[in-house]
Every structure is written in C-alpha cells, then in structure tokens.
Amino acid sequence: MTQAPSTTDLLRVFGKIGVTSFGGPAAQIALMHRSLVEERDWLSEEQFLRALSFCMMLPGPEAMQLATYAGWRLRGITGGVIGGLLFVLPGALVIAILALLYANFGSQPQTAALMLGVKACVVVIVAQALMRLSQKALKTPTSLILAGLSFLAIFALGIPFPILIGMAALWGAWHTKAIAQIDPQPVQNTSPRVLIAWAALWLAPLPILWATGQNLLFSLGVFFAKLAVVTFGGAYAVLAYMSQEVVQTRGWLSTTEMVDALGLAETTPGPLILVTQFVGMLTGHAQGGVALALAAGALTLWVTFVPCFLWIFAGAPHVENLLARPRLQAALQAITAAVVGVILNLSVWFALHVLFGQVGQVSFGPLAFPWPDLTTLQLGVLPLIALTALLLGPLKRDVLTTLILCAAASWILSLI
C-alpha cells in the first residue's frame, strides 16, 4: 500500500464516489474497489475483502460502512467521517428534493405515469437482488429451509423482522460444530471516550425532542434509531418490516406512498436505506408542511447513519479477531439465509402493489397474507417490466439509465 493520502485527496476521491454511486450495493462496492484498490492502491486486495466481510457483519448499509472503514484505515477517525459522510450526503440532497417535489406534485397524472415506470423497474431490480443473494446464501438444504421458514413467518404470520433475525442468529450459533481455538491478535482499541461520544451523539436528539413535546419527531427518531440496529442484510431486508410499521401499524404513509418511496430511492446515488429519509420527510410534510418535513428528514438521517460510524470505529480494530470466530460466522450465515426469505416477501409485496390496483388480505386460521383483486391487473405495467428485464439483462444497461428509460416509456404510453 502507498503512503496515506492527504485529506484533500480523500475529499476529492470519496466525493466522486458519493456522487457516482448509483446502482445499489454491488455496483457501489465495485466502484470503491476500482477507486481505492485498482486505480490508487490505497488498500490492498486482501484489506479490501476483509473490510467488506467485516461490514457485511454489521447492521446498516454495508457500502456506506465500507467507505467509512476505508477512510478510517487511511486517515483514522477523520478519514472515516469523510468517507462515510461523502458517501451519504449527495444522495441525501437528491432525496430531499425528490421528497418535497413528490409531496407537492405526487398526485398529478403526469407524476403517476412517470412513477409507474420507475416502480416497474424496481420490481425487476428487487428480483435481481433476490437472485444474487440466493446464489450466495442458499448453498445447503438447511439454508433453503431457513429461507422458506423466514418467508412464511413474515409473509403469512406477520412476525417482525427483528425477531426473525434474532432467532436465525441464535439457531446458527447453536447449530455450528466448529469450535476452533482462536489466538487473539493484539489490537489498538478506539478510545472509550470516542465511542461514548458517538453513542451520545446518536441518541442526543431523542431526549431533547421528548422534553420539548415534539411527539411526531420523537416517534420518528425512536423508530428509525431502532431500525438502525436491526438492518442486517441491507435495505431490501428491512424494507418489508419498515413498510409494515409505517403503513399498517403507525399510518404515517399510504401503501402507494411507500411503494413510490422505494422506487424514487432507487434513482439516487448513495445507500438505498436513504428511503428512510424519504419516509420521514413525507410523514413530516403531511403533518407540518415543508419545515417539519426538513426537520424529520434531518432527524431520520441522523439516527440512521450516526450509528454506522459507531459500529465501524468500535469494531474496525478487531476485524481479524471477529472474522475468525466460527460461532459468529455461523450466526451470520443463518441470518443471511433468513434475509433471503425476507427479501422474497418484499419482492412479492412490492410486485403485487405494482401489478394490481387493489390488494386485499385473505386469512386461513393463523395465516393472513395479501391477495390481489385479479380484475384490477394493470396491463400497462407488463411491457415496462419486460423492457426493464431486457435493459438490465441482455443489454446490460446501468440502473440509472434503465430507470430513466422506463419512466419515459411509461409517460409516453400514458399519452398514447
């Protein structure tokens, strides 16, 4: 590895990564690999892969945490803050603009036509993410069973996502037979005062909001702070749980708004979990206009991403020792298999609400799951899904180009 880069170099390189990081975690990780390993030799191949494995163990967006880890590796905590912030801020700015535009113009026919193309595209994107993860995670009969049970639990029984993750982790840790002896490597821990400061920063808004009677903002802060702790498996995994809570339990958004939020979040650079900012801003706008929307968006960003820095700065010095623990590895493998079932649930839920105008619910004893009104099938969505599959598949177009083309095609079809 070459000499540590200057702060100016970090700002320039990570700024470019943040602005161009479209296409989801796989594309973002590939972009960072090219920028940090291939072009500049700031990290070795081995360091990059170990960092990626470590970040996939953590709750939260793995690509953002990989940028934070890379910055920490290069220039300590200052570098970590630069890497993480610049990965998030460009997308957060775009999301803020989109959320305000959607809040004011989302009900217009032209917007609905454009959104239909975006949502048709997202149906294919989520399905592709599901297939890629399945190929990596479902290599044994046990993992297939875990994924199936996870899907059934969340789709038909409504078991919350955090409980599923906890059960899968416990089962994986208990079931493993590999109890290897580990020789701990010496590490230089991050100062406890630094970690306490980051933990305090993360939760600091909550008591202030509670004391000042900001009930909506306090509820948003508590919910998304809790979400930040259970986001194993990436944004797709937690979106089903978030949708259930935001739409059904709390009534902050309608189903259509939640589906649109995911669609628009796919069009921005940065981590997909920025959809939480969109949800927060729509919720705030509905109850207090632009000012409350901006406050809710800033709060959501804070409680979602500040803990990512905490996880990295606390765990980064221990990467080698953590990756050598067989029970931890087995627990994470079980979580990954369970996440496949959760993402399948999201894929089905999202596709039903895109393909059909009305989706109800049917029950059989303890089982209750969504079921569409087959007469409300939106035939215009089908060619848009086919176009997306063609662009992302054989034609190998990038996600942003595909989203733009599908939205344009949907708008043209609406005019015809």
Side-chain angles (χ1 to χ4, degrees):
M1 189 177 70
T2 59
Q3 184 179 2
S6 66
T7 301
T8 302
D9 287 337
L10 281 185
L11 289 168
R12 176 174 54 82
V13 172
F14 281 105
K16 182 179 179 181
I17 290 173
V19 171
T20 57
S21 58
F22 293 92
Q28 292 159 358
I29 291 166
L31 172 63
M32 276 187 276
H33 184 273
R34 184 169 65 249
S35 299
L36 303 177
V37 179
E38 297 175 12
E39 295 178 355
R40 291 171 182 84
D41 196 30
W42 284 357
L43 296 176
S44 68
E45 184 76 24
E46 186 179 28
Q47 287 172 330
F48 186 88
L49 293 176
R50 283 202 302 265
L52 177 58
S53 298
F54 168 60
C55 293
M56 294 179 71
M57 293 166 52
L58 303 172
E62 63 266 30
M64 178 266 182
Q65 291 175 150
L66 180 60
T68 305
Y69 180 95
W72 172 86
R73 184 90 191 189
L74 294 167
R75 292 199 68 85
I77 289 178
T78 300
V81 172
I82 290 172
L85 278 182
L86 291 182
F87 190 80
V88 170
L89 288 180
L93 178 61
V94 176
I95 283 285
I97 296 170
L98 289 176
L100 293 177
L101 289 173
Y102 182 87
N104 287 282
F105 304 107
S107 60
Q108 296 190 5
Q110 298 93 328
T111 304
L114 290 170
M115 285 305 306
L116 186 63
V118 171
K119 289 185 286 190
C121 188
V122 174
V123 169
V124 179
I125 292 172
V126 176
Q128 283 189 334
L130 176 65
M131 287 188 290
R132 285 195 297 267
L133 183 58
S134 298
Q135 291 170 353
K136 294 179 180 178
L138 307 184
K139 296 182 178 179
T140 66
T142 301
S143 61
L144 285 168
I145 293 171
L146 274 175
L149 290 175
S150 175
F151 172 73
L152 177 64
I154 197 168
F155 181 77
L157 296 175
I159 294 177
F161 176 70
I163 294 178
L164 284 178
I165 291 299
M167 293 171 62
L170 289 173
W171 188 91
W174 170 78
H175 187 260
T176 183
K177 297 179 181 178
I179 314 294
Q181 295 297 319
I182 305 167
D183 295 324
Q185 300 296 314
V187 297
Q188 184 175 357
N189 293 328
T190 303
S191 168
R193 287 183 294 180
V194 172
L195 301 181
I196 291 171
W198 278 100
L201 278 173
W202 172 28
L203 300 174
L206 300 182
I208 297 172
L209 294 170
W210 178 80
T212 55
Q214 298 292 331
N215 295 329
L216 175 64
L217 291 178
F218 177 74
S219 297
L220 283 168
V222 170
F223 174 68
F224 286 111
K226 179 177 70 174
L227 204 68
V229 180
V230 299
T231 50
F232 291 94
Y236 288 124
V238 80
L239 277 170
Y241 169 57
M242 183 171 70
S243 301
Q244 182 185 52
E245 287 285 315
V246 167
V247 175
Q248 298 176 15
T249 304
R250 302 169 189 267
W252 288 338
L253 268 62
S254 68
T255 300
T256 299
E257 289 172 329
M258 188 66 232
V259 173
D260 289 346
L262 175 57
L264 286 172
E266 288 280 8
T267 68
T268 66
L272 181 58
I273 201 66
L274 281 170
V275 69
T276 58
Q277 177 197 356
F278 194 98
V279 170
M281 290 188 67
L282 285 190
T283 304
H285 191 278
Q287 300 196 30
V290 173
L292 191 57
L294 292 173
L299 174 66
T300 304
L301 284 172
W302 186 271
V303 298
T304 298
F305 290 104
V306 169
C308 296
F309 294 104
L310 175 60
W311 313 147
I312 291 295
F313 298 150
H318 305 275
V319 168
E320 304 294 340
N321 293 333
L322 287 171
L323 294 178
R325 296 184 179 275
R327 285 199 183 276
L328 179 59
Q329 289 292 330
L332 290 169
Q333 289 170 2
I335 288 174
T336 304
V339 161
V340 173
V342 175
I343 297 178
L344 175 59
N345 169 72
L346 172 68
S347 183
V348 171
W349 178 85
F350 190 85
L352 288 176
H353 285 89
V354 172
L355 288 168
F356 296 92
Q358 295 181 20
V359 180
Q361 193 173 60
V362 295
S363 300
F364 295 97
L367 305 180
F369 48 86
W371 189 260
D373 180 349
L374 300 180
T375 62
T376 64
L377 175 65
Q378 301 185 82
L379 294 175
V381 179
L382 299 178
L384 296 173
I385 292 176
L387 175 62
T388 301
L390 178 65
L391 290 169
L392 291 177
L395 298 182
K396 299 187 183 302
R397 295 294 184 265
D398 61 85
V399 170
L400 182 61
T401 300
T402 302
L403 284 164
I404 293 171
L405 290 175
C406 287
S410 178
W411 181 70
I412 293 171
L413 286 174
S414 72
L415 295 178
I416 295 175

